Amino acid sequence: QVQLVQSGGGLVQAGGSLRLSCEASGNIFTINAMGWYRQVPGKQRELVASMPSTGRINYADSVKDRFTISGDNAKNILYLQMNSLKPDDTADYYCNAERLGNNYWGQGTQVTVSS
């Protein structure tokens, strides 16, 4: 089992920045990948950025060059730094961890970007 607790998010004007955090606990040493997803009403949850244990970091085209996924292994925290935010970035953001074929999710946090 993996537990994910998110923090961050909020309201920001277009062009601003926010930083999301996700602290993992439990069986963290067997996590295969972690990432950030977002979802808006009426749409599927979509991948924003992912960080496999091996391989390349992946970003959605819509956030490339604006968002940065990173991790602090010592603190077991995953971050999503979001810069140059756009109104289209408004969504509920979820931290995700994949372990042994199972997905675990944070509680979600709202990001609202005003025009």
Side-chain angles (χ1 to χ4, degrees), residues 7 18 31 38 59 91 105:
S7 61
L18 285 172
I31 291 174
R38 66 187 182 187
Y59 293 97
W105 297 94

Side-chain angles (χ1 to χ4, degrees), residues 16-85:
S17 298
L18 285 172
R19 188 194 197 194
L20 307 182
S21 299
C22 174
E23 184 172 2
S25 61
N27 296 322
I28 60 175
F29 296 109
T30 50
I31 291 174
N32 294 322
M34 296 190 69
W36 291 95
Y37 291 73
R38 66 187 182 187
Q39 188 170 26
V40 299
K43 297 184 66 177
Q44 291 184 318
R45 188 171 297 184
E46 65 175 356
L47 175 68
V48 175
S50 65
M51 180 183 292
S53 58
T54 59
R56 297 181 181 274
I57 294 173
N58 299 303
Y59 293 97
D61 288 341
S62 59
V63 307
K64 285 182 178 178
D65 302 319
R66 299 189 298 117
F67 291 10
T68 302
I69 188 172
S70 62
D72 185 334
N73 289 330
K75 297 181 179 180
N76 302 317
I77 298 176
L78 185 73
Y79 299 103
L80 184 67
Q81 179 67 46
M82 304 182 292
N83 298 324
S84 302
L85 282 161

